[in-house]
Amino acid sequence: MKDELIIEEAVRLVSEGVCVTLPVDGQSMLPFIIGGKESVILQKPAQPKVGDVVLAWCRDGRYVVHRIIGINGDAITLMGDGNLVGREYCSVGDIKARVSHVVDVKGRRHAIDTRWRQRAVRLWWYLRPIRRYLLFAWRLVKSE
């Protein structure tokens, strides 16, 4: 409940035009956002497009920070970069913020829409069939 109140306050501030830094939890956005270690900077959402990372209220009744993988009229399909198959669904109006930057453990800001990151995300998408193994190896390396 406490987390939801914090997110709702962040959503309120973003709707007023304030950029908000929000820590993220979970592993669903690996390897691009590391839950429990990194934060995201949220800003007011613009017209959504495929590839945007957004904070959205999903149909299953929870907030997620995931990437837009499909838009069909008002219907939005989201998927975490670290997810193998799971998808979430919302409407355009349920997108509460767009992620503009990731803040790493040293406090450095990294723009999320650089050409390098866009290429890496595209490659990661095509590697879905072997993502499970890549994530396993990544976790092994990072745990040492």
Side-chain angles (χ1 to χ4, degrees):
M1 183 65 177
K2 180 182 171 188
D3 288 343
E4 193 170 308
L5 291 174
I6 291 169
I7 293 172
E8 288 175 4
E9 180 63 12
V11 167
R12 185 187 68 76
L13 290 168
V14 167
S15 72
E16 294 176 1
V18 177
C19 288
V20 175
T21 302
L22 186 71
V24 290
D25 197 17
Q27 305 300 309
S28 66
M29 285 301 289
L30 285 175
F32 300 105
I33 301 173
I34 304 170
K37 294 184 179 182
E38 295 182 328
S39 299
V40 293
I41 297 177
L42 303 173
Q43 65 182 31
K44 203 169 191 172
Q47 183 65 32
K49 62 184 186 304
V50 171
D52 284 351
V53 177
V54 297
L55 171 68
W57 178 254
C58 294
R59 290 183 188 159
D60 62 1
R62 65 190 173 106
Y63 284 104
V64 296
V65 173
H66 282 171
R67 190 174 306 278
I68 296 175
I69 62 166
I71 301 174
N72 186 3
D74 189 52
I76 305 288
T77 304
L78 305 164
M79 184 176 186
D81 293 336
N83 290 351
L84 301 174
V85 292
R87 296 174 185 203
E88 291 83 18
Y89 303 92
C90 69
S91 66
V92 171
D94 294 325
I95 295 174
K96 305 303 181 185
R98 185 177 77 78
V99 174
S100 63
H101 293 78
V102 174
V103 181
D104 67 22
V105 294
K106 295 182 179 178
R108 296 176 298 202
R109 300 168 111 202
H110 304 278
I112 202 147
D113 58 358
T114 64
R115 183 172 289 164
W116 178 91
R117 278 192 184 250
Q118 289 172 346
R119 287 181 179 156
V121 165
R122 196 171 308 122
L123 174 62
W124 188 245
W125 177 256
Y126 289 115
L127 292 174
R128 275 187 333 252
I130 61 169
R131 237 188 233 181
R132 172 185 324 270
Y133 309 107
L134 295 172
L135 286 169
F136 177 76
W138 187 85
R139 286 182 181 118
L140 281 177
V141 169
K142 289 296 183 179
S143 68
E144 294 177 358

